[in-house]
Amino acid sequence: NCFAAVSQGAEESEERVMSASMTTLRSRSSTTGRSGRRGVVSHPHHQHQHQRQPYHRHPRSVSAMATASSPKAKKLWGGRFTGETDPLMHKYNQSLSYDQRMWREDIDGSVVYAKALETQGIITREELESIISGLEAVGKEWEGSTFEIAPNDEDIHTANERRLVELIGDAGKKLHTGRSRNDQVATDGRLWTMRRLQVLRQDLRTFLRIAGERAEEEVDAIMPGFTHLQPAQTVRWSHWLLSHCAALQRDDERLRDMIPRVARLPLGSGALAGNPFNVDRQGMAEELGFFDGVCPNSMDAVSDRDWVIEAIFCSVMIMTHLSRWAEDLIVYSTAQFGYVSMADAYSTGSSLMPQKKNPDALELLRGKAGRTLGSLAGILTVVKGTPTTYNKDLQEDKEMLFDVMDTVMDSMKIAIGVVSTMTIHPEKMKEGLSPDMLATDLAEYLVRKGMPFRDTHHVAGEAVALAEKKGCGISDLSLEDLQSLSDLFASDVSEVWSFDRSAELRCTEGGTAKSSVLEQVSKLNTYLDS
């Protein structure tokens, strides 16, 4: 069955993407060093990447951030300062409560950077092995939820480095040589976003595949098409479904075009001026999977947040299109329409009215689209006034990015479930068809008889008015009634009153005729197979 539940496949999609190009860090650390780096960096726990952490603030983190700075605990940047940090300022300044979800990307980037330092002779082979071993241990603590956040941990970078030094000693202090949190956070964020956009694109294409299969199988169902929410012309259910596929296909094309711009490595840019130790940026890019190379300008690399804006924008477009799709289905699933029924898995009931079955999944798709749009306005507002290179304003990008990415990825999986399990009711669709929807066909009948369209439009309008005056449907007008409006009407006018014929006449490319709809399905499949 082409509508077989795909939720399991959707849940596994992120795992497949995350693990597709990755091996273990330990095996790579034993085969790369001064001799060069190859492939894509991996982590022994990448197989669990699909278990996304919530973007909201971690309770343990919040309590830690609210703790006053310990006199004995040094901040990584604290040498310049002699006074204590206001505890509220520490809490206000920190980002670990939400950027800790990038722990894997931070470790991956640190492993690759350590290899680059070893290649340049900044650290020894033994120090490299110790650093990689320590980073692996830190990663296991994060994965096992045993990582203990210290009061002075400001962000994922300082937390991981502080713990690394605790585990391996002074060798860990060499890891940040030539590196700034400015290029580090941009690297982590790009890598985190790139991985999730790849998953999102896979899920989007899964939706398109299922919708295309439904369109092909249910091509004979005809229904009213609407403009201004008023019945307009006869269309096929499949034609309607494919109209939303066309919008979502554009979203897939946008992701395809945009992901390479995310896949450019900032690491090696330092704070703003570049790296003084001539680390191999192209090699690091290759190993981390930044397939479009490196950011070409170090000042731009640390301050560019186009990749955040574009990721949010593309996600907002997907949510907007899902919202419009959901709105149609909400209307079509009402008792007044009855064209479709939602599966129980994606519906809820009323706490008061036992008869209710509410399409809450669809309503939430529609509602959550509004929140993502707010984040798009938010990130543009944050970025627009920042002067050149890094400013702390840019820390505000993460919560918006995380929230939008979580929302669109969850929404896409919900949409897959809905499109896989909803039931259509072709007989109810036919009941929604009314003869007045064939008024345009009546005008086109006269066009085929040689009358100019503008005149035929007027005559068809007169026929509608005559039917209303007589209290009957336009199809119930007699031949004599029609001939009183134009002597071009003949007995063959009765053929006009067929809804199936009306649909089949729209046989141009992209139209609602059966052949045209099946051609659209074929084109969609060709696109998905390419």
Side-chain angles (χ1 to χ4, degrees):
N1 189 323
C2 68
F3 315 137
V6 297
S7 57
Q8 180 178 357
E11 290 298 328
E12 293 172 351
S13 62
E14 187 165 354
E15 179 178 356
R16 291 195 300 270
V17 171
M18 296 307 174
S19 63
S21 61
M22 300 175 181
T23 56
T24 65
L25 267 178
R26 176 55 71 187
S27 62
R28 186 165 300 285
S29 67
S30 66
T31 59
T32 56
R34 291 181 180 273
S35 60
R37 49 185 72 81
R38 54 189 182 272
V40 179
V41 73
S42 70
H43 194 277
H45 315 302
H46 271 132
Q47 58 185 322
H48 302 297
Q49 183 69 34
H50 70 288
Q51 298 174 351
R52 299 193 302 278
Q53 297 173 341
Y55 82 94
H56 56 265
R57 301 178 184 273
H58 193 287
R60 181 179 59 181
S61 304
V62 173
S63 62
M65 296 311 148
T67 304
S69 302
S70 167
K72 296 182 179 179
K74 296 180 179 179
K75 291 183 180 294
L76 298 184
W77 46 263
R80 157 71 174 79
F81 293 81
T82 57
E84 293 292 333
T85 302
D86 185 323
L88 178 59
M89 176 56 192
H90 180 81
K91 180 180 178 182
Y92 195 68
N93 182 56
Q94 68 81 32
S95 60
L96 182 57
S97 56
Y98 48 89
D99 70 13
Q100 61 181 268
R101 66 185 306 170
M102 297 193 301
W103 66 263
R104 190 186 313 276
E105 287 72 26
D106 192 69
I107 288 174
D108 287 350
S110 291
V111 168
V112 168
Y113 189 70
K115 294 178 184 179
L117 292 177
E118 190 268 344
T119 300
Q120 294 304 109
I122 305 303
I123 61 175
T124 66
R125 180 68 181 183
E126 292 71 22
E127 288 172 328
L128 171 64
E129 292 176 350
S130 178
I131 288 171
I132 291 177
S133 177
L135 289 170
E136 286 179 338
V138 173
K140 290 178 180 178
E141 290 182 5
W142 279 114
E143 188 174 48
S145 299
T146 61
F147 188 97
E148 290 295 331
I149 294 173
N152 277 293
D153 290 342
E154 292 182 358
D155 49 43
I156 188 59
H157 326 297
T158 55
N160 281 346
E161 183 176 336
R162 184 266 309 163
R163 182 59 178 146
L164 177 66
V165 173
E166 289 177 352
L167 291 173
I168 69 170
D170 285 349
K173 297 178 181 180
K174 296 185 177 183
L175 176 60
H176 208 57
T177 304
R179 183 172 66 167
S180 166
R181 284 186 294 176
N182 297 356
D183 62 345
Q184 189 176 1
V185 68
T187 300
D188 292 359
R190 282 176 179 264
L191 187 56
W192 184 93
T193 303
M194 179 174 63
R195 288 170 174 174
R196 278 145 190 84
L197 288 175
Q198 290 167 342
V199 175
L200 175 60
R201 190 175 180 211
Q202 187 177 62
D203 287 347
L204 177 55
R205 293 167 72 86
T206 296
F207 178 96
L208 291 172
R209 182 77 69 181
I210 295 168
E213 290 173 354
R214 287 204 74 140
E216 183 173 20
E217 183 164 320
E218 297 169 340
V219 69
D220 291 323
I222 59 173
M223 61 180 283
F226 298 86
T227 62
H228 307 279
L229 263 184
Q230 304 297 315
Q233 289 184 296
T234 308
V235 298
R236 296 184 182 277
W237 155 259
S238 299
H239 195 202
W240 169 85
L241 187 56
L242 289 168
S243 73
H244 291 282
C245 288
L248 289 166
Q249 181 178 329
R250 293 194 298 273
D251 292 326
D252 183 67
E253 292 166 354
R254 267 186 284 270
L255 289 174
R256 178 196 63 196
D257 296 341
M258 182 267 290
I259 288 175
R261 289 191 290 276
V262 181
R264 294 171 186 166
L265 180 73
L267 193 58
S269 297
L272 77 161
N275 188 289
F277 298 103
N278 197 29
V279 293
D280 181 3
R281 296 189 67 209
Q282 293 291 346
M284 291 191 294
E286 180 181 356
E287 188 162 1
L288 279 169
F290 284 88
F291 57 85
D292 208 49
V294 303
C295 298
N297 181 285
S298 63
M299 295 179 73
D300 178 67
V302 299
S303 61
D304 169 30
R305 290 301 183 270
D306 287 7
W307 54 274
V308 178
I309 295 169
E310 285 197 82
I312 292 177
F313 170 74
C314 288
S315 299
V316 169
M317 288 302 301
I318 292 171
M319 291 299 298
T320 299
H321 290 144
L322 288 179
S323 177
R324 298 190 72 191
W325 173 74
E327 168 64 11
D328 280 357
L329 288 176
I330 290 168
V331 173
Y332 294 164
S333 66
T334 61
Q336 290 82 356
F337 281 76
Y339 297 173
V340 296
S341 296
M342 298 298 109
D344 287 352
Y346 300 98
S347 306
T348 65
S350 166
S351 62
L352 176 64
M353 299 165 284
Q355 82 280 10
K356 294 292 294 297
K357 181 178 181 181
N358 301 323
D360 280 11
L362 297 171
E363 292 173 358
L364 286 168
L365 283 175
R366 188 175 59 185
K368 289 177 183 293
R371 195 176 80 243
T372 62
L373 179 57
S375 292
L376 177 59
I379 186 61
L380 287 168
T381 305
V382 167
V383 171
K384 74 170 184 64
T386 53
T388 304
T389 80
Y390 185 81
N391 298 268
K392 200 58 176 274
D393 313 47
L394 299 179
Q395 180 169 290
E396 295 301 304
D397 65 352
K398 297 177 190 60
E399 289 183 285
M400 289 181 279
L401 175 65
F402 295 159
D403 179 50
V404 170
M405 290 305 302
D406 284 349
T407 299
V408 71
M409 294 178 76
D410 289 345
S411 296
M412 202 70 247
K413 287 178 170 58
I414 290 293
I416 289 171
V418 170
V419 77
S420 301
T421 59
M422 64 183 178
T423 302
I424 70 168
H425 304 294
E427 292 306 314
K428 293 291 291 184
M429 293 178 182
K430 285 184 178 180
E431 290 175 12
L433 298 167
S434 57
D436 59 292
M437 295 173 59
L438 299 171
T440 304
D441 296 76
L442 187 65
E444 292 164 351
Y445 168 88
L446 292 174
V447 167
R448 292 182 174 89
K449 296 289 185 176
M451 184 183 292
F453 173 75
R454 187 51 59 201
D455 294 336
T456 71
H457 186 280
H458 182 75
V459 172
E462 289 182 323
V464 172
L466 180 60
E468 290 177 348
K469 182 178 179 180
K470 298 186 69 170
C472 66
I474 190 174
S475 61
D476 296 324
L477 293 175
S478 67
L479 179 58
E480 291 73 20
D481 290 332
L482 294 172
Q483 287 176 335
S484 70
L485 304 174
S486 171
D487 57 9
L488 291 178
F489 284 113
S491 59
D492 62 347
V493 72
S494 60
E495 298 174 2
V496 169
W497 314 124
S498 167
F499 296 110
D500 287 298
R501 176 182 178 276
S502 177
E504 282 304 286
L505 285 175
R506 274 70 184 171
C507 58
T508 53
E509 184 176 356
T512 202
K514 184 174 181 177
S515 60
S516 298
V517 169
L518 292 177
E519 181 184 32
Q520 293 167 53
V521 172
S522 177
K523 288 180 178 178
L524 177 61
N525 288 334
T526 298
Y527 172 80
L528 294 173
D529 291 339
S530 63

